[in-house]
Amino acid sequence: MASQSRHRHLTGVARRLRRDPTGEERLLRWWLRGSFGLHWRRRAPIGRYVVDFVAFEERIVVEVDGCQHADSERDRIRRSWLRSQRLAVLRFWNDDIRLQPGVVMNAIEAVIEGPAP
């Protein structure tokens, strides 16, 4: 019963986050829509976390982070858990999304075309 309650809570959190994306999340969503031929879900619950973007078929998570995530122990634990679920986790800073879109998209493409995680 507790896991059902947690799942409902995370689903609600994900919905709220989807309604108010950052500018960088909007940009990345727009780029991902027309690229790679994958179905990307945004703000999707996985386990006890809500990830920014995920392509479940390819098992790829893309996170967009601001400076509040720098050197975050919680983020290290989260990334480690996601990787333990055989998910490739890519993390980009907001500045990367705004200033280096080609680098971001090339990094995502390299993971898609590379070996499975």
Side-chain angles (χ1 to χ4, degrees), residues 55-69:
F56 281 111
E57 308 86 38
E58 296 292 323
R59 305 194 63 76
I60 299 170
V61 170
V62 178
E63 296 282 85
V64 179
D65 293 331
C67 62
Q68 73 274 16
H69 291 273

Side-chain angles (χ1 to χ4, degrees), residues 26-92:
R26 281 191 190 111
L27 269 176
L28 187 57
R29 178 179 182 217
W30 188 76
W31 296 335
L32 290 174
R33 271 183 157 171
S35 303
F36 312 125
L38 300 177
H39 175 71
W40 293 91
R41 290 206 38 218
R42 62 188 174 100
R43 298 300 192 159
I46 300 177
R48 63 180 185 233
Y49 302 107
V50 175
V51 299
D52 292 337
F53 297 92
V54 61
F56 281 111
E57 308 86 38
E58 296 292 323
R59 305 194 63 76
I60 299 170
V61 170
V62 178
E63 296 282 85
V64 179
D65 293 331
C67 62
Q68 73 274 16
H69 291 273
D71 297 323
S72 167
E73 180 64 21
R74 289 176 68 191
D75 282 344
R76 277 192 284 279
I77 292 167
R78 169 189 167 110
R79 190 170 40 256
S80 177
W81 184 85
L82 290 167
R83 287 180 176 158
S84 78
Q85 302 304 300
R86 298 187 52 229
L87 293 161
V89 180
L90 295 167
R91 180 179 173 193
F92 300 103

